[in-house]
PDB file of all heavy atoms in Angstrom:
ATOM      1  N   GLU A 328      19.386  19.297 -55.941  1.00 86.00           N
ATOM      2  CA  GLU A 328      19.998  17.980 -56.199  1.00 86.00           C
ATOM      3  C   GLU A 328      18.900  16.932 -56.319  1.00 86.00           C
ATOM      4  O   GLU A 328      18.960  16.013 -57.187  1.00 86.00           O
ATOM      5  CB  GLU A 328      21.004  17.615 -55.138  1.00 86.00           C
ATOM      6  CG  GLU A 328      22.264  18.445 -55.152  1.00 86.00           C
ATOM      7  CD  GLU A 328      22.111  19.746 -54.401  1.00 86.00           C
ATOM      8  OE1 GLU A 328      20.974  20.035 -53.874  1.00 86.00           O
ATOM      9  OE2 GLU A 328      23.072  20.537 -54.377  1.00 86.00           O
ATOM     10  N   ALA A 329      17.874  17.021 -55.461  1.00 86.00           N
ATOM     11  CA  ALA A 329      16.789  16.044 -55.504  1.00 86.00           C
ATOM     12  C   ALA A 329      16.026  16.175 -56.808  1.00 86.00           C
ATOM     13  O   ALA A 329      15.668  15.196 -57.435  1.00 86.00           O
ATOM     14  CB  ALA A 329      15.870  16.226 -54.302  1.00 86.00           C
ATOM     15  N   ARG A 330      15.761  17.411 -57.214  1.00 85.00           N
ATOM     16  CA  ARG A 330      15.012  17.629 -58.458  1.00 85.00           C
ATOM     17  C   ARG A 330      15.774  17.055 -59.637  1.00 85.00           C
ATOM     18  O   ARG A 330      15.257  16.408 -60.514  1.00 85.00           O
ATOM     19  CB  ARG A 330      14.729  19.120 -58.685  1.00 85.00           C
ATOM     20  CG  ARG A 330      13.977  19.329 -59.995  1.00 85.00           C
ATOM     21  CD  ARG A 330      13.923  20.757 -60.418  1.00 85.00           C
ATOM     22  NE  ARG A 330      13.395  20.876 -61.785  1.00 85.00           N
ATOM     23  CZ  ARG A 330      13.401  21.959 -62.536  1.00 85.00           C
ATOM     24  NH1 ARG A 330      13.894  23.073 -62.063  1.00 85.00           N
ATOM     25  NH2 ARG A 330      12.948  21.922 -63.753  1.00 85.00           N
ATOM     26  N   ARG A 331      17.094  17.318 -59.647  1.00 87.00           N
ATOM     27  CA  ARG A 331      17.920  16.789 -60.759  1.00 87.00           C
ATOM     28  C   ARG A 331      17.936  15.276 -60.743  1.00 87.00           C
ATOM     29  O   ARG A 331      17.768  14.665 -61.814  1.00 87.00           O
ATOM     30  CB  ARG A 331      19.364  17.340 -60.574  1.00 87.00           C
ATOM     31  CG  ARG A 331      20.294  16.905 -61.725  1.00 87.00           C
ATOM     32  CD  ARG A 331      21.689  17.453 -61.485  1.00 87.00           C
ATOM     33  NE  ARG A 331      21.699  18.909 -61.550  1.00 87.00           N
ATOM     34  CZ  ARG A 331      22.026  19.704 -60.535  1.00 87.00           C
ATOM     35  NH1 ARG A 331      22.347  19.172 -59.348  1.00 87.00           N
ATOM     36  NH2 ARG A 331      22.033  20.995 -60.707  1.00 87.00           N
ATOM     37  N   SER A 332      18.047  14.698 -59.596  1.00 89.00           N
ATOM     38  CA  SER A 332      18.071  13.229 -59.504  1.00 89.00           C
ATOM     39  C   SER A 332      16.744  12.627 -59.894  1.00 89.00           C
ATOM     40  O   SER A 332      16.660  11.591 -60.575  1.00 89.00           O
ATOM     41  CB  SER A 332      18.455  12.805 -58.101  1.00 89.00           C
ATOM     42  OG  SER A 332      19.763  13.204 -57.785  1.00 89.00           O
ATOM     43  N   ILE A 333      15.638  13.270 -59.422  1.00 89.00           N
ATOM     44  CA  ILE A 333      14.286  12.754 -59.742  1.00 89.00           C
ATOM     45  C   ILE A 333      13.998  12.809 -61.241  1.00 89.00           C
ATOM     46  O   ILE A 333      13.523  11.837 -61.834  1.00 89.00           O
ATOM     47  CB  ILE A 333      13.204  13.522 -58.946  1.00 89.00           C
ATOM     48  CG1 ILE A 333      13.273  13.179 -57.480  1.00 89.00           C
ATOM     49  CG2 ILE A 333      11.835  13.259 -59.494  1.00 89.00           C
ATOM     50  CD1 ILE A 333      12.467  14.074 -56.605  1.00 89.00           C
ATOM     51  N   GLU A 334      14.345  13.935 -61.874  1.00 91.00           N
ATOM     52  CA  GLU A 334      14.131  14.091 -63.312  1.00 91.00           C
ATOM     53  C   GLU A 334      14.876  12.973 -64.063  1.00 91.00           C
ATOM     54  O   GLU A 334      14.318  12.368 -64.973  1.00 91.00           O
ATOM     55  CB  GLU A 334      14.582  15.472 -63.785  1.00 91.00           C
ATOM     56  CG  GLU A 334      13.535  16.522 -63.676  1.00 91.00           C
ATOM     57  CD  GLU A 334      13.846  17.777 -64.521  1.00 91.00           C
ATOM     58  OE1 GLU A 334      14.775  17.644 -65.360  1.00 91.00           O
ATOM     59  OE2 GLU A 334      13.242  18.787 -64.307  1.00 91.00           O
ATOM     60  N   ARG A 335      16.128  12.784 -63.711  1.00 91.00           N
ATOM     61  CA  ARG A 335      16.948  11.775 -64.429  1.00 91.00           C
ATOM     62  C   ARG A 335      16.372  10.371 -64.159  1.00 91.00           C
ATOM     63  O   ARG A 335      16.332   9.529 -65.073  1.00 91.00           O
ATOM     64  CB  ARG A 335      18.437  11.866 -64.049  1.00 91.00           C
ATOM     65  CG  ARG A 335      19.129  13.094 -64.618  1.00 91.00           C
ATOM     66  CD  ARG A 335      20.569  13.089 -64.218  1.00 91.00           C
ATOM     67  NE  ARG A 335      21.274  11.910 -64.723  1.00 91.00           N
ATOM     68  CZ  ARG A 335      21.798  11.804 -65.951  1.00 91.00           C
ATOM     69  NH1 ARG A 335      21.643  12.799 -66.805  1.00 91.00           N
ATOM     70  NH2 ARG A 335      22.426  10.721 -66.319  1.00 91.00           N
ATOM     71  N   GLU A 336      16.017  10.104 -62.922  1.00 92.00           N
ATOM     72  CA  GLU A 336      15.494   8.795 -62.587  1.00 92.00           C
ATOM     73  C   GLU A 336      14.179   8.518 -63.364  1.00 92.00           C
ATOM     74  O   GLU A 336      14.009   7.446 -63.974  1.00 92.00           O
ATOM     75  CB  GLU A 336      15.176   8.726 -61.102  1.00 92.00           C
ATOM     76  CG  GLU A 336      14.470   7.413 -60.683  1.00 92.00           C
ATOM     77  CD  GLU A 336      13.907   7.499 -59.240  1.00 92.00           C
ATOM     78  OE1 GLU A 336      14.041   8.542 -58.595  1.00 92.00           O
ATOM     79  OE2 GLU A 336      13.311   6.491 -58.786  1.00 92.00           O
ATOM     80  N   MET A 337      13.249   9.504 -63.349  1.00 93.00           N
ATOM     81  CA  MET A 337      11.988   9.306 -64.023  1.00 93.00           C
ATOM     82  C   MET A 337      12.122   9.233 -65.551  1.00 93.00           C
ATOM     83  O   MET A 337      11.486   8.419 -66.210  1.00 93.00           O
ATOM     84  CB  MET A 337      10.995  10.427 -63.660  1.00 93.00           C
ATOM     85  CG  MET A 337      10.419  10.334 -62.261  1.00 93.00           C
ATOM     86  SD  MET A 337       9.275   8.909 -62.081  1.00 93.00           S
ATOM     87  CE  MET A 337      10.394   7.641 -61.499  1.00 93.00           C
ATOM     88  N   ALA A 338      13.037  10.036 -66.111  1.00 94.00           N
ATOM     89  CA  ALA A 338      13.280  10.009 -67.557  1.00 94.00           C
ATOM     90  C   ALA A 338      13.854   8.659 -67.918  1.00 94.00           C
ATOM     91  O   ALA A 338      13.404   7.993 -68.884  1.00 94.00           O
ATOM     92  CB  ALA A 338      14.214  11.114 -67.958  1.00 94.00           C
ATOM     93  N   ARG A 339      14.863   8.197 -67.178  1.00 94.00           N
ATOM     94  CA  ARG A 339      15.492   6.873 -67.462  1.00 94.00           C
ATOM     95  C   ARG A 339      14.502   5.741 -67.334  1.00 94.00           C
ATOM     96  O   ARG A 339      14.359   4.883 -68.205  1.00 94.00           O
ATOM     97  CB  ARG A 339      16.682   6.670 -66.551  1.00 94.00           C
ATOM     98  CG  ARG A 339      17.418   5.373 -66.794  1.00 94.00           C
ATOM     99  CD  ARG A 339      18.500   5.174 -65.740  1.00 94.00           C
ATOM    100  NE  ARG A 339      17.928   5.074 -64.397  1.00 94.00           N
ATOM    101  CZ  ARG A 339      18.096   5.971 -63.458  1.00 94.00           C
ATOM    102  NH1 ARG A 339      18.736   7.046 -63.662  1.00 94.00           N
ATOM    103  NH2 ARG A 339      17.535   5.787 -62.268  1.00 94.00           N
ATOM    104  N   ASP A 340      13.756   5.737 -66.196  1.00 94.00           N
ATOM    105  CA  ASP A 340      12.774   4.663 -65.983  1.00 94.00           C
ATOM    106  C   ASP A 340      11.639   4.695 -67.012  1.00 94.00           C
ATOM    107  O   ASP A 340      11.136   3.643 -67.434  1.00 94.00           O
ATOM    108  CB  ASP A 340      12.210   4.732 -64.585  1.00 94.00           C
ATOM    109  CG  ASP A 340      13.195   4.207 -63.540  1.00 94.00           C
ATOM    110  OD1 ASP A 340      14.330   3.898 -63.915  1.00 94.00           O
ATOM    111  OD2 ASP A 340      12.804   4.095 -62.337  1.00 94.00           O
ATOM    112  N   LEU A 341      11.202   5.888 -67.381  1.00 95.00           N
ATOM    113  CA  LEU A 341      10.123   6.003 -68.381  1.00 95.00           C
ATOM    114  C   LEU A 341      10.562   5.449 -69.716  1.00 95.00           C
ATOM    115  O   LEU A 341       9.853   4.685 -70.361  1.00 95.00           O
ATOM    116  CB  LEU A 341       9.709   7.489 -68.508  1.00 95.00           C
ATOM    117  CG  LEU A 341       8.496   7.774 -69.362  1.00 95.00           C
ATOM    118  CD1 LEU A 341       7.257   7.045 -68.893  1.00 95.00           C
ATOM    119  CD2 LEU A 341       8.231   9.289 -69.423  1.00 95.00           C
ATOM    120  N   ILE A 342      11.793   5.757 -70.122  1.00 95.00           N
ATOM    121  CA  ILE A 342      12.302   5.239 -71.374  1.00 95.00           C
ATOM    122  C   ILE A 342      12.471   3.690 -71.330  1.00 95.00           C
ATOM    123  O   ILE A 342      12.025   3.006 -72.233  1.00 95.00           O
ATOM    124  CB  ILE A 342      13.701   5.837 -71.670  1.00 95.00           C
ATOM    125  CG1 ILE A 342      13.550   7.363 -71.987  1.00 95.00           C
ATOM    126  CG2 ILE A 342      14.381   5.141 -72.851  1.00 95.00           C
ATOM    127  CD1 ILE A 342      14.860   8.122 -72.019  1.00 95.00           C
ATOM    128  N   HIS A 343      12.988   3.214 -70.225  1.00 94.00           N
ATOM    129  CA  HIS A 343      13.131   1.736 -70.076  1.00 94.00           C
ATOM    130  C   HIS A 343      11.789   1.059 -70.085  1.00 94.00           C
ATOM    131  O   HIS A 343      11.634  -0.001 -70.748  1.00 94.00           O
ATOM    132  CB  HIS A 343      13.876   1.426 -68.803  1.00 94.00           C
ATOM    133  CG  HIS A 343      15.338   1.785 -68.846  1.00 94.00           C
ATOM    134  ND1 HIS A 343      16.172   1.676 -67.763  1.00 94.00           N
ATOM    135  CD2 HIS A 343      16.149   2.272 -69.835  1.00 94.00           C
ATOM    136  CE1 HIS A 343      17.423   2.066 -68.105  1.00 94.00           C
ATOM    137  NE2 HIS A 343      17.361   2.430 -69.385  1.00 94.00           N
ATOM    138  N   ALA A 344      10.800   1.636 -69.364  1.00 92.00           N
ATOM    139  CA  ALA A 344       9.451   1.018 -69.337  1.00 92.00           C
ATOM    140  C   ALA A 344       8.838   0.992 -70.716  1.00 92.00           C
ATOM    141  O   ALA A 344       8.194   0.000 -71.109  1.00 92.00           O
ATOM    142  CB  ALA A 344       8.557   1.761 -68.334  1.00 92.00           C
ATOM    143  N   LEU A 345       8.954   2.084 -71.443  1.00 93.00           N
ATOM    144  CA  LEU A 345       8.368   2.150 -72.792  1.00 93.00           C
ATOM    145  C   LEU A 345       9.029   1.203 -73.752  1.00 93.00           C
ATOM    146  O   LEU A 345       8.426   0.770 -74.752  1.00 93.00           O
ATOM    147  CB  LEU A 345       8.512   3.583 -73.308  1.00 93.00           C
ATOM    148  CG  LEU A 345       7.585   4.620 -72.651  1.00 93.00           C
ATOM    149  CD1 LEU A 345       7.953   6.013 -73.138  1.00 93.00           C
ATOM    150  CD2 LEU A 345       6.104   4.334 -72.931  1.00 93.00           C
ATOM    151  N   ARG A 346      10.271   0.776 -73.436  1.00 91.00           N
ATOM    152  CA  ARG A 346      10.970  -0.190 -74.255  1.00 91.00           C
ATOM    153  C   ARG A 346      10.829  -1.602 -73.760  1.00 91.00           C
ATOM    154  O   ARG A 346      11.570  -2.492 -74.125  1.00 91.00           O
ATOM    155  CB  ARG A 346      12.431   0.207 -74.404  1.00 91.00           C
ATOM    156  CG  ARG A 346      12.627   1.456 -75.275  1.00 91.00           C
ATOM    157  CD  ARG A 346      14.029   1.933 -75.435  1.00 91.00           C
ATOM    158  NE  ARG A 346      14.114   3.011 -76.410  1.00 91.00           N
ATOM    159  CZ  ARG A 346      15.075   3.898 -76.495  1.00 91.00           C
ATOM    160  NH1 ARG A 346      16.082   3.803 -75.640  1.00 91.00           N
ATOM    161  NH2 ARG A 346      15.067   4.841 -77.419  1.00 91.00           N
ATOM    162  N   GLY A 347       9.905  -1.796 -72.822  1.00 85.00           N
ATOM    163  CA  GLY A 347       9.549  -3.142 -72.375  1.00 85.00           C
ATOM    164  C   GLY A 347      10.408  -3.680 -71.243  1.00 85.00           C
ATOM    165  O   GLY A 347      10.317  -4.869 -70.957  1.00 85.00           O
ATOM    166  N   GLN A 348      11.226  -2.827 -70.597  1.00 86.00           N
ATOM    167  CA  GLN A 348      12.051  -3.316 -69.516  1.00 86.00           C
ATOM    168  C   GLN A 348      11.369  -3.053 -68.190  1.00 86.00           C
ATOM    169  O   GLN A 348      10.632  -2.089 -68.000  1.00 86.00           O
ATOM    170  CB  GLN A 348      13.379  -2.608 -69.532  1.00 86.00           C
ATOM    171  CG  GLN A 348      14.183  -2.828 -70.822  1.00 86.00           C
ATOM    172  CD  GLN A 348      15.430  -1.983 -70.904  1.00 86.00           C
ATOM    173  OE1 GLN A 348      16.091  -1.767 -69.934  1.00 86.00           O
ATOM    174  NE2 GLN A 348      15.781  -1.527 -72.135  1.00 86.00           N
ATOM    175  N   ALA A 349      11.621  -3.928 -67.202  1.00 84.00           N
ATOM    176  CA  ALA A 349      11.027  -3.792 -65.848  1.00 84.00           C
ATOM    177  C   ALA A 349      11.786  -2.646 -65.120  1.00 84.00           C
ATOM    178  O   ALA A 349      12.980  -2.591 -65.176  1.00 84.00           O
ATOM    179  CB  ALA A 349      11.113  -5.088 -65.094  1.00 84.00           C
ATOM    180  N   VAL A 350      11.003  -1.835 -64.380  1.00 87.00           N
ATOM    181  CA  VAL A 350      11.599  -0.813 -63.558  1.00 87.00           C
ATOM    182  C   VAL A 350      10.979  -0.867 -62.151  1.00 87.00           C
ATOM    183  O   VAL A 350       9.874  -1.356 -61.973  1.00 87.00           O
ATOM    184  CB  VAL A 350      11.403   0.624 -64.163  1.00 87.00           C
ATOM    185  CG1 VAL A 350      12.159   0.743 -65.470  1.00 87.00           C
ATOM    186  CG2 VAL A 350       9.935   0.899 -64.373  1.00 87.00           C
ATOM    187  N   ASP A 351      11.704  -0.392 -61.166  1.00 84.00           N
ATOM    188  CA  ASP A 351      11.255  -0.451 -59.752  1.00 84.00           C
ATOM    189  C   ASP A 351      10.262   0.647 -59.349  1.00 84.00           C
ATOM    190  O   ASP A 351       9.665   0.591 -58.306  1.00 84.00           O
ATOM    191  CB  ASP A 351      12.454  -0.449 -58.818  1.00 84.00           C
ATOM    192  CG  ASP A 351      13.292  -1.692 -58.950  1.00 84.00           C
ATOM    193  OD1 ASP A 351      12.750  -2.742 -59.300  1.00 84.00           O
ATOM    194  OD2 ASP A 351      14.510  -1.600 -58.693  1.00 84.00           O
ATOM    195  N   SER A 352      10.162   1.704 -60.191  1.00 86.00           N
ATOM    196  CA  SER A 352       9.413   2.900 -59.767  1.00 86.00           C
ATOM    197  C   SER A 352       7.952   2.819 -60.141  1.00 86.00           C
ATOM    198  O   SER A 352       7.220   3.775 -59.931  1.00 86.00           O
ATOM    199  CB  SER A 352      10.042   4.141 -60.364  1.00 86.00           C
ATOM    200  OG  SER A 352      10.179   4.020 -61.753  1.00 86.00           O
TER     201      SER A 352
END
Side-chain angles (χ1 to χ4, degrees):
E328 290 83 1
R330 180 192 169 190
R331 183 181 294 116
S332 297
I333 288 170
E334 273 197 14
R335 288 181 60 83
E336 175 193 1
M337 285 292 92
R339 182 186 61 250
D340 282 5
L341 187 58
I342 293 168
H343 289 175
L345 290 171
R346 288 178 173 159
Q348 301 173 36
V350 294
D351 293 331
S352 53

